[in-house]
mmCIF file of all heavy atoms in Angstrom:
data_model
loop_
_atom_site.group_PDB
_atom_site.id
_atom_site.type_symbol
_atom_site.label_atom_id
_atom_site.label_comp_id
_atom_site.label_asym_id
_atom_site.label_seq_id
_atom_site.Cartn_x
_atom_site.Cartn_y
_atom_site.Cartn_z
ATOM 1 N N ARG A 31 9.057 145.739 131.776
ATOM 2 C CA ARG A 31 8.224 145.009 130.871
ATOM 3 C C ARG A 31 6.861 145.666 130.644
ATOM 4 O O ARG A 31 6.213 146.049 131.581
ATOM 5 C CB ARG A 31 8.091 143.548 131.326
ATOM 6 C CG ARG A 31 9.401 142.826 131.465
ATOM 7 C CD ARG A 31 9.222 141.462 131.973
ATOM 8 N NE ARG A 31 10.487 140.759 132.014
ATOM 9 C CZ ARG A 31 10.648 139.430 132.315
ATOM 10 N NH1 ARG A 31 9.603 138.730 132.588
ATOM 11 N NH2 ARG A 31 11.846 138.893 132.326
ATOM 12 N N TYR A 33 3.186 145.456 128.065
ATOM 13 C CA TYR A 33 2.402 144.543 127.189
ATOM 14 C C TYR A 33 1.130 145.266 126.624
ATOM 15 O O TYR A 33 0.651 146.068 127.233
ATOM 16 C CB TYR A 33 1.957 143.239 128.060
ATOM 17 C CG TYR A 33 2.997 142.583 128.794
ATOM 18 C CD1 TYR A 33 3.573 143.126 129.955
ATOM 19 C CD2 TYR A 33 3.386 141.266 128.397
ATOM 20 C CE1 TYR A 33 4.555 142.423 130.692
ATOM 21 C CE2 TYR A 33 4.468 140.627 129.104
ATOM 22 C CZ TYR A 33 4.938 141.208 130.132
ATOM 23 O OH TYR A 33 5.930 140.530 130.886
ATOM 24 N N TYR A 35 -2.578 143.812 125.399
ATOM 25 C CA TYR A 35 -3.553 142.753 125.280
ATOM 26 C C TYR A 35 -4.859 143.213 124.633
ATOM 27 O O TYR A 35 -5.265 144.417 124.775
ATOM 28 C CB TYR A 35 -3.889 142.083 126.637
ATOM 29 C CG TYR A 35 -2.905 141.152 127.208
ATOM 30 C CD1 TYR A 35 -1.836 141.663 127.914
ATOM 31 C CD2 TYR A 35 -3.005 139.744 126.982
ATOM 32 C CE1 TYR A 35 -0.917 140.775 128.548
ATOM 33 C CE2 TYR A 35 -2.050 138.962 127.545
ATOM 34 C CZ TYR A 35 -1.061 139.389 128.336
ATOM 35 O OH TYR A 35 -0.116 138.527 128.898
ATOM 36 N N GLN A 37 -9.044 142.314 124.601
ATOM 37 C CA GLN A 37 -10.137 141.554 125.186
ATOM 38 C C GLN A 37 -11.324 141.549 124.310
ATOM 39 O O GLN A 37 -11.803 142.557 123.929
ATOM 40 C CB GLN A 37 -10.505 142.143 126.560
ATOM 41 C CG GLN A 37 -11.555 141.280 127.263
ATOM 42 C CD GLN A 37 -11.950 141.913 128.651
ATOM 43 O OE1 GLN A 37 -11.561 142.975 128.978
ATOM 44 N NE2 GLN A 37 -12.739 141.147 129.396
ATOM 45 N N GLY A 40 -15.902 136.329 125.583
ATOM 46 C CA GLY A 40 -15.804 134.907 125.348
ATOM 47 C C GLY A 40 -14.447 134.392 124.946
ATOM 48 O O GLY A 40 -14.298 133.249 124.854
ATOM 49 N N GLY A 42 -11.479 135.933 126.376
ATOM 50 C CA GLY A 42 -10.479 136.388 127.315
ATOM 51 C C GLY A 42 -9.533 137.445 126.833
ATOM 52 O O GLY A 42 -9.964 138.196 125.895
ATOM 53 N N TYR A 48 4.644 142.519 123.129
ATOM 54 C CA TYR A 48 5.258 142.789 124.466
ATOM 55 C C TYR A 48 6.693 143.263 124.312
ATOM 56 O O TYR A 48 7.307 143.002 123.267
ATOM 57 C CB TYR A 48 5.099 141.598 125.386
ATOM 58 C CG TYR A 48 5.826 140.339 125.023
ATOM 59 C CD1 TYR A 48 7.046 139.987 125.483
ATOM 60 C CD2 TYR A 48 5.177 139.475 123.989
ATOM 61 C CE1 TYR A 48 7.696 138.800 125.034
ATOM 62 C CE2 TYR A 48 5.835 138.304 123.486
ATOM 63 C CZ TYR A 48 7.081 137.943 124.050
ATOM 64 O OH TYR A 48 7.749 136.750 123.731
ATOM 65 N N PHE A 50 10.311 143.756 126.678
ATOM 66 C CA PHE A 50 11.080 143.590 127.969
ATOM 67 C C PHE A 50 11.982 144.632 128.265
ATOM 68 O O PHE A 50 12.507 144.834 129.400
ATOM 69 C CB PHE A 50 11.740 142.236 127.909
ATOM 70 C CG PHE A 50 10.842 141.012 128.173
ATOM 71 C CD1 PHE A 50 9.464 141.146 128.337
ATOM 72 C CD2 PHE A 50 11.421 139.799 128.163
ATOM 73 C CE1 PHE A 50 8.688 140.134 128.505
ATOM 74 C CE2 PHE A 50 10.540 138.659 128.347
ATOM 75 C CZ PHE A 50 9.212 138.817 128.517
ATOM 76 N N PHE A 90 -6.004 146.582 126.540
ATOM 77 C CA PHE A 90 -5.364 146.701 127.810
ATOM 78 C C PHE A 90 -3.832 146.806 127.614
ATOM 79 O O PHE A 90 -3.174 145.979 126.968
ATOM 80 C CB PHE A 90 -5.688 145.565 128.762
ATOM 81 C CG PHE A 90 -7.035 145.691 129.362
ATOM 82 C CD1 PHE A 90 -8.060 144.832 128.888
ATOM 83 C CD2 PHE A 90 -7.281 146.643 130.372
ATOM 84 C CE1 PHE A 90 -9.356 144.996 129.450
ATOM 85 C CE2 PHE A 90 -8.621 146.772 130.892
ATOM 86 C CZ PHE A 90 -9.644 145.907 130.421
ATOM 87 N N SER A 98 10.629 138.235 137.419
ATOM 88 C CA SER A 98 9.777 137.888 138.548
ATOM 89 C C SER A 98 8.829 136.825 138.257
ATOM 90 O O SER A 98 9.040 135.943 137.522
ATOM 91 C CB SER A 98 9.055 139.209 139.036
ATOM 92 O OG SER A 98 8.095 139.533 138.075
ATOM 93 N N THR A 99 7.641 136.874 138.829
ATOM 94 C CA THR A 99 6.662 135.805 138.776
ATOM 95 C C THR A 99 5.809 135.871 137.558
ATOM 96 O O THR A 99 5.042 134.933 137.348
ATOM 97 C CB THR A 99 5.727 135.813 140.020
ATOM 98 O OG1 THR A 99 5.024 137.103 139.917
ATOM 99 C CG2 THR A 99 6.538 135.821 141.324
ATOM 100 N N GLY A 100 5.866 136.932 136.877
ATOM 101 C CA GLY A 100 5.042 137.059 135.726
ATOM 102 C C GLY A 100 3.678 137.894 136.023
ATOM 103 O O GLY A 100 2.874 138.089 135.190
ATOM 104 N N GLU A 101 3.577 138.316 137.239
ATOM 105 C CA GLU A 101 2.379 139.125 137.640
ATOM 106 C C GLU A 101 2.399 140.397 136.866
ATOM 107 O O GLU A 101 3.404 141.017 136.684
ATOM 108 C CB GLU A 101 2.441 139.357 139.138
ATOM 109 C CG GLU A 101 1.279 140.247 139.612
ATOM 110 C CD GLU A 101 1.332 140.597 141.116
ATOM 111 O OE1 GLU A 101 2.160 139.909 141.768
ATOM 112 O OE2 GLU A 101 0.552 141.469 141.512
ATOM 113 N N LEU A 102 1.249 140.737 136.347
ATOM 114 C CA LEU A 102 1.069 141.914 135.508
ATOM 115 C C LEU A 102 0.143 142.897 136.279
ATOM 116 O O LEU A 102 -0.759 142.523 137.025
ATOM 117 C CB LEU A 102 0.500 141.577 134.163
ATOM 118 C CG LEU A 102 1.299 140.670 133.240
ATOM 119 C CD1 LEU A 102 0.667 140.564 131.907
ATOM 120 C CD2 LEU A 102 2.706 141.163 133.144
ATOM 121 N N PHE A 104 -2.436 146.131 135.341
ATOM 122 C CA PHE A 104 -3.130 146.590 134.181
ATOM 123 C C PHE A 104 -3.570 148.048 134.229
ATOM 124 O O PHE A 104 -3.860 148.513 135.285
ATOM 125 C CB PHE A 104 -4.421 145.707 133.915
ATOM 126 C CG PHE A 104 -4.068 144.360 133.444
ATOM 127 C CD1 PHE A 104 -3.601 143.350 134.310
ATOM 128 C CD2 PHE A 104 -4.148 144.055 132.061
ATOM 129 C CE1 PHE A 104 -3.282 142.097 133.741
ATOM 130 C CE2 PHE A 104 -3.752 142.875 131.565
ATOM 131 C CZ PHE A 104 -3.386 141.835 132.375
ATOM 132 N N GLY A 105 -3.762 148.637 133.032
ATOM 133 C CA GLY A 105 -4.420 149.925 132.909
ATOM 134 C C GLY A 105 -5.924 149.697 132.861
ATOM 135 O O GLY A 105 -6.415 148.618 132.983
ATOM 136 N N TYR B 32 3.396 129.401 137.183
ATOM 137 C CA TYR B 32 2.795 130.236 138.186
ATOM 138 C C TYR B 32 1.380 130.437 137.790
ATOM 139 O O TYR B 32 1.083 130.562 136.553
ATOM 140 C CB TYR B 32 3.544 131.523 138.389
ATOM 141 C CG TYR B 32 4.957 131.427 138.805
ATOM 142 C CD1 TYR B 32 5.996 132.173 138.289
ATOM 143 C CD2 TYR B 32 5.241 130.605 139.914
ATOM 144 C CE1 TYR B 32 7.322 132.114 138.771
ATOM 145 C CE2 TYR B 32 6.578 130.491 140.343
ATOM 146 C CZ TYR B 32 7.563 131.271 139.778
ATOM 147 O OH TYR B 32 8.816 131.091 140.222
ATOM 148 N N PHE B 34 -2.506 132.499 138.424
ATOM 149 C CA PHE B 34 -3.132 133.697 138.866
ATOM 150 C C PHE B 34 -4.703 133.688 138.666
ATOM 151 O O PHE B 34 -5.185 133.105 137.787
ATOM 152 C CB PHE B 34 -2.558 134.915 138.123
ATOM 153 C CG PHE B 34 -1.051 135.027 138.136
ATOM 154 C CD1 PHE B 34 -0.294 134.258 137.268
ATOM 155 C CD2 PHE B 34 -0.478 135.881 139.023
ATOM 156 C CE1 PHE B 34 1.103 134.388 137.250
ATOM 157 C CE2 PHE B 34 0.876 136.005 139.003
ATOM 158 C CZ PHE B 34 1.679 135.271 138.131
ATOM 159 N N TYR B 36 -7.486 136.874 138.253
ATOM 160 C CA TYR B 36 -7.700 138.313 138.185
ATOM 161 C C TYR B 36 -9.202 138.563 138.196
ATOM 162 O O TYR B 36 -9.952 137.754 137.697
ATOM 163 C CB TYR B 36 -7.135 138.905 136.891
ATOM 164 C CG TYR B 36 -5.631 139.171 136.995
ATOM 165 C CD1 TYR B 36 -4.745 138.128 136.656
ATOM 166 C CD2 TYR B 36 -5.049 140.441 137.230
ATOM 167 C CE1 TYR B 36 -3.378 138.356 136.670
ATOM 168 C CE2 TYR B 36 -3.734 140.658 137.255
ATOM 169 C CZ TYR B 36 -2.854 139.583 136.999
ATOM 170 O OH TYR B 36 -1.484 139.860 136.980
ATOM 171 N N GLN B 38 -12.216 141.480 137.099
ATOM 172 C CA GLN B 38 -12.502 142.783 136.337
ATOM 173 C C GLN B 38 -13.859 143.167 136.630
ATOM 174 O O GLN B 38 -14.977 142.591 136.282
ATOM 175 C CB GLN B 38 -12.370 142.487 134.807
ATOM 176 C CG GLN B 38 -12.598 143.731 133.971
ATOM 177 C CD GLN B 38 -12.558 143.434 132.554
ATOM 178 O OE1 GLN B 38 -12.762 142.274 131.993
ATOM 179 N NE2 GLN B 38 -12.220 144.400 131.684
ATOM 180 N N GLY B 43 -10.214 148.017 134.802
ATOM 181 C CA GLY B 43 -9.139 147.024 134.434
ATOM 182 C C GLY B 43 -9.087 145.859 135.227
ATOM 183 O O GLY B 43 -10.038 145.619 136.088
ATOM 184 N N LEU B 46 -5.505 141.921 140.497
ATOM 185 C CA LEU B 46 -5.119 140.622 140.986
ATOM 186 C C LEU B 46 -5.903 140.287 142.257
ATOM 187 O O LEU B 46 -5.925 140.972 143.168
ATOM 188 C CB LEU B 46 -3.582 140.643 141.296
ATOM 189 C CG LEU B 46 -3.035 139.349 141.754
ATOM 190 C CD1 LEU B 46 -2.965 138.359 140.575
ATOM 191 C CD2 LEU B 46 -1.607 139.518 142.359
ATOM 192 N N LYS B 49 -2.479 134.658 143.795
ATOM 193 C CA LYS B 49 -1.509 133.997 142.948
ATOM 194 C C LYS B 49 -0.909 132.811 143.646
ATOM 195 O O LYS B 49 -0.775 132.782 144.876
ATOM 196 C CB LYS B 49 -0.385 134.927 142.499
ATOM 197 C CG LYS B 49 0.378 135.596 143.683
ATOM 198 C CD LYS B 49 1.393 136.643 143.222
ATOM 199 C CE LYS B 49 1.997 137.354 144.410
ATOM 200 N NZ LYS B 49 2.824 138.501 143.932
ATOM 201 N N LEU B 51 2.546 130.683 143.580
ATOM 202 C CA LEU B 51 3.948 130.669 143.106
ATOM 203 C C LEU B 51 4.637 129.353 143.503
ATOM 204 O O LEU B 51 5.296 128.629 142.686
ATOM 205 C CB LEU B 51 4.712 131.844 143.621
ATOM 206 C CG LEU B 51 4.045 133.219 143.475
ATOM 207 C CD1 LEU B 51 5.002 134.317 144.004
ATOM 208 C CD2 LEU B 51 3.893 133.441 141.939
ATOM 209 N N PHE B 90 -10.834 136.035 135.650
ATOM 210 C CA PHE B 90 -9.922 135.395 134.671
ATOM 211 C C PHE B 90 -8.878 134.652 135.455
ATOM 212 O O PHE B 90 -8.173 135.052 136.342
ATOM 213 C CB PHE B 90 -9.243 136.459 133.835
ATOM 214 C CG PHE B 90 -10.122 137.262 132.893
ATOM 215 C CD1 PHE B 90 -10.762 138.424 133.313
ATOM 216 C CD2 PHE B 90 -10.464 136.716 131.643
ATOM 217 C CE1 PHE B 90 -11.554 139.069 132.383
ATOM 218 C CE2 PHE B 90 -11.318 137.367 130.794
ATOM 219 C CZ PHE B 90 -11.869 138.579 131.201
ATOM 220 N N SER B 102 9.774 133.352 135.800
ATOM 221 C CA SER B 102 8.742 133.466 134.753
ATOM 222 C C SER B 102 9.312 133.884 133.466
ATOM 223 O O SER B 102 10.191 134.763 133.411
ATOM 224 C CB SER B 102 7.645 134.388 135.222
ATOM 225 O OG SER B 102 6.783 134.691 134.109
ATOM 226 N N TYR B 103 8.821 133.379 132.325
ATOM 227 C CA TYR B 103 9.178 133.861 131.022
ATOM 228 C C TYR B 103 8.522 135.229 130.782
ATOM 229 O O TYR B 103 8.783 135.899 129.768
ATOM 230 C CB TYR B 103 8.806 132.857 129.918
ATOM 231 C CG TYR B 103 9.714 131.657 129.849
ATOM 232 C CD1 TYR B 103 9.265 130.430 130.230
ATOM 233 C CD2 TYR B 103 11.045 131.863 129.441
ATOM 234 C CE1 TYR B 103 10.082 129.321 130.139
ATOM 235 C CE2 TYR B 103 11.911 130.692 129.475
ATOM 236 C CZ TYR B 103 11.463 129.545 129.766
ATOM 237 O OH TYR B 103 12.244 128.456 129.702
ATOM 238 N N GLY B 104 7.628 135.636 131.669
ATOM 239 C CA GLY B 104 7.175 137.020 131.537
ATOM 240 C C GLY B 104 5.860 137.231 130.751
ATOM 241 O O GLY B 104 5.587 138.324 130.451
ATOM 242 N N LYS B 105 5.277 136.091 130.307
ATOM 243 C CA LYS B 105 4.101 136.356 129.557
ATOM 244 C C LYS B 105 2.917 135.460 130.227
ATOM 245 O O LYS B 105 3.038 134.329 130.649
ATOM 246 C CB LYS B 105 4.204 135.703 128.167
ATOM 247 C CG LYS B 105 5.165 136.447 127.279
ATOM 248 C CD LYS B 105 5.071 135.951 125.823
ATOM 249 C CE LYS B 105 5.492 134.536 125.762
ATOM 250 N NZ LYS B 105 5.389 134.017 124.388
ATOM 251 N N LEU B 106 1.736 136.137 130.413
ATOM 252 C CA LEU B 106 0.578 135.533 130.980
ATOM 253 C C LEU B 106 -0.292 135.011 129.883
ATOM 254 O O LEU B 106 -0.623 135.875 128.904
ATOM 255 C CB LEU B 106 -0.160 136.464 131.866
ATOM 256 C CG LEU B 106 0.451 136.752 133.253
ATOM 257 C CD1 LEU B 106 -0.615 137.533 134.134
ATOM 258 C CD2 LEU B 106 0.840 135.479 133.976
ATOM 259 N N PHE B 108 -4.231 133.839 129.349
ATOM 260 C CA PHE B 108 -5.530 133.967 130.058
ATOM 261 C C PHE B 108 -6.557 132.911 129.614
ATOM 262 O O PHE B 108 -6.542 132.572 128.420
ATOM 263 C CB PHE B 108 -6.054 135.391 129.932
ATOM 264 C CG PHE B 108 -5.332 136.428 130.703
ATOM 265 C CD1 PHE B 108 -4.226 137.011 130.143
ATOM 266 C CD2 PHE B 108 -5.702 136.784 131.932
ATOM 267 C CE1 PHE B 108 -3.515 137.960 130.928
ATOM 268 C CE2 PHE B 108 -5.145 137.756 132.646
ATOM 269 C CZ PHE B 108 -3.923 138.337 132.130
ATOM 270 N N GLY B 109 -7.352 132.588 130.459
ATOM 271 C CA GLY B 109 -8.549 131.867 130.069
ATOM 272 C C GLY B 109 -9.622 132.741 129.486
ATOM 273 O O GLY B 109 -9.451 133.939 129.381
ATOM 274 N N GLN B 110 -10.763 132.201 129.122
ATOM 275 C CA GLN B 110 -11.819 132.868 128.439
ATOM 276 C C GLN B 110 -12.584 133.763 129.315
ATOM 277 O O GLN B 110 -13.383 134.554 128.833
ATOM 278 C CB GLN B 110 -12.750 131.878 127.729
ATOM 279 C CG GLN B 110 -12.022 130.958 126.755
ATOM 280 C CD GLN B 110 -11.459 129.719 127.365
ATOM 281 O OE1 GLN B 110 -11.195 129.585 128.562
ATOM 282 N NE2 GLN B 110 -11.336 128.668 126.580
#
Side-chain angles (χ1 to χ4, degrees):
Chain A
R31 299 179 176 187
Y33 306 78
Y35 281 88
Q37 182 183 9
Y48 61 103
F50 284 359
F90 284 103
S98 67
T99 63
E101 178 181 348
L102 299 185
F104 285 83
Chain B
Y32 295 138
F34 305 83
Y36 282 84
Q38 183 183 26
L46 183 69
K49 57 188 176 186
L51 306 180
F90 293 95
S102 167
Y103 284 113
K105 294 188 296 177
L106 285 190
F108 286 85
Q110 300 90 333

